[in-house]
Amino acid sequence: MTTSGEEAPLRSNDDVVRVRQLVRVAASAAGMSLVDQTKIVTAASELARNTLVYGGGGAVTIEQVTNPGGRAGIRITFRDEGPGIPDVDLALTDGWTSGSGLGLGLSGARKLADEFELDTEAGRGTTVTVVKWAR
């Protein structure tokens, strides 16, 4: 896995650990504070685990990005071809979980990122993209 925008598989717990490490490196390279690095690493960890557990595995892309004002950031996209999310509003509710987790995955990631986009449909899979900007 690299931070060059190449898609990499997300199929095991080892891949989740690698995502965390790569996101930390990318966030540091973007000039993020330690607090913001921790926020985006936490969001990425939750989303990677969701991709693995609920989506049956998938892929992740980590990209360095720059906004029109020249501010650096990173964009992380998680894709799976799992069952999709039948009730997005419920899935984004704080504390709700479809499993044995704490219910912090999607709603937590949304709060920790500066931008959050969710594209899902039952039976079609899920794509979640988060962006964090250096301050």
Side-chain angles (χ1 to χ4, degrees):
M1 279 184 225
T2 68
T3 59
S4 65
E6 294 176 26
E7 190 171 85
L10 186 50
R11 306 238 178 266
S12 70
N13 285 327
D14 288 343
D15 292 336
V16 174
V17 172
R18 270 192 291 283
V19 166
R20 289 177 60 88
Q21 293 166 342
L22 290 169
V23 168
R24 173 131 356 242
V25 168
S28 177
M32 288 182 201
S33 69
L34 185 56
V35 169
D36 282 340
Q37 288 178 43
T38 301
K39 286 178 179 180
I40 196 61
V41 167
T42 301
S45 181
E46 291 293 324
L47 294 171
R49 186 151 311 285
N50 280 3
T51 300
L52 186 61
V53 172
Y54 301 112
V60 61
T61 305
I62 304 167
E63 303 169 279
Q64 297 284 342
V65 293
T66 305
N67 73 6
R71 188 163 38 155
I74 60 172
R75 175 174 43 232
I76 313 160
T77 303
F78 298 87
R79 292 180 189 84
D80 69 60
E81 295 179 7
I85 302 170
D87 187 337
V88 172
D89 290 336
L90 184 60
L92 288 171
T93 301
D94 289 345
W96 183 84
T97 179
S98 63
S100 60
L102 298 175
L104 300 176
L106 288 175
S107 65
R110 182 170 61 173
K111 288 179 182 177
L112 294 168
D114 294 324
E115 298 176 22
F116 179 92
E117 183 179 326
L118 173 64
D119 179 22
T120 188
E121 185 177 311
R124 188 181 51 89
T126 301
T127 300
V128 178
T129 302
V130 291
V131 177
K132 188 73 173 171
W133 298 107
R135 308 222 181 278

